[in-house]
Amino acid sequence: MARQPAYSPGPDIPQDEILRDHQGRIIDDAYAEAAAAEAIAVVRGRGRPSLSRSGESPLLRVRLSRELDDDITRAAEQAGTSRADWVRHALAQAARKAS
């Protein structure tokens, strides 16, 4: 990936002015890169953790009848697990049997 050119302030900020954040730290290219890296880490840290080693968890959407949905909900409650975990377990068992 090509490196972006260094940031240069707009015409409203004199070239010789030193910019500082609210804690008094000088805002320069290194500061901006560190802030961007931190923001990306925060955003990537959101959401549910990946279920696979590759870091991706494909989403499978299916339509169910109301009756089957109710049955899955009851089965998950009886198993003491979430619906998603129950469905993942049931699909894993079915996939193993099919192999």
Side-chain angles (χ1 to χ4, degrees), residues 8-97:
S8 60
D12 58 327
I13 300 174
Q15 289 292 330
D16 59 342
E17 183 175 346
I18 296 175
L19 301 176
R20 296 182 181 271
D21 68 5
H22 70 282
Q23 294 179 339
R25 296 175 295 200
I26 295 175
I27 299 174
D28 57 7
D29 287 341
Y31 177 96
E33 286 181 23
E38 182 181 339
I40 289 170
V42 168
V43 169
R44 287 188 176 153
R46 290 184 184 160
R48 299 179 185 271
S50 174
L51 297 172
S52 58
R53 291 182 190 149
S54 69
E56 294 180 31
S57 297
L59 179 66
L60 173 65
R61 294 183 63 174
V62 297
R63 292 190 179 273
L64 307 172
S65 67
R66 174 55 57 197
E67 295 78 18
L68 179 55
D69 186 58
D70 292 342
D71 290 344
I72 290 170
T73 299
R74 275 192 296 280
E77 287 172 356
Q78 289 174 358
T81 188
S82 69
R83 289 167 31 106
D85 283 340
W86 190 90
V87 170
R88 271 191 291 274
H89 180 74
L91 289 173
Q93 281 185 324
R96 280 193 296 274
K97 284 182 184 177

